[in-house]
Amino acid sequence: MNKFIHSSRRRSPSIRSDETINYKNTSLLRRFVSEQGKILSRRMNRLTSKQQRMVATAIKRARILALLPFLNNDI
């Protein structure tokens, strides 16, 4: 039996070299936010620790400036 079962969850791609992590780049930041509005974990995002910290800071700044919603209540 296979001990390591791959998850069927959607894995978002990591950051390409030409993309910059910035709070103004909402299309990039939306890839790292779940459907409920939570910041996805580093394993799900396939990011380094430094990239994850930069993404989290950028998402929080974008939320404060109302570029991204705090919660997603579309249900």
Side-chain angles (χ1 to χ4, degrees):
M1 225 167 152
N2 191 356
K3 194 158 114 176
F4 303 105
I5 299 173
H6 293 291
S7 175
S8 63
R9 293 185 194 169
R10 174 182 62 94
R11 290 189 63 155
S12 59
S14 60
I15 298 173
R16 296 191 311 257
S17 60
D18 62 336
E19 294 176 323
T20 58
I21 301 171
N22 192 354
Y23 70 92
K24 297 179 215 172
N25 192 354
T26 56
S27 60
L28 172 70
L29 297 178
R30 286 184 194 276
R31 294 194 328 213
F32 303 111
V33 177
S34 71
E35 294 174 359
Q36 293 90 19
K38 297 180 181 180
I39 300 173
L40 293 175
S41 69
R42 196 181 127 225
R43 288 184 186 177
M44 290 285 290
N45 290 336
R46 295 187 298 179
L47 298 174
T48 63
S49 298
K50 186 175 183 179
Q51 288 174 332
Q52 179 69 17
R53 285 193 304 269
M54 291 173 67
V55 165
T57 304
I59 289 172
K60 290 173 185 177
R61 285 181 182 165
R63 284 175 174 169
I64 290 170
L65 293 172
L67 299 175
L68 286 177
F70 278 95
L71 297 174
N72 191 3
N73 295 331
D74 292 340
I75 297 173

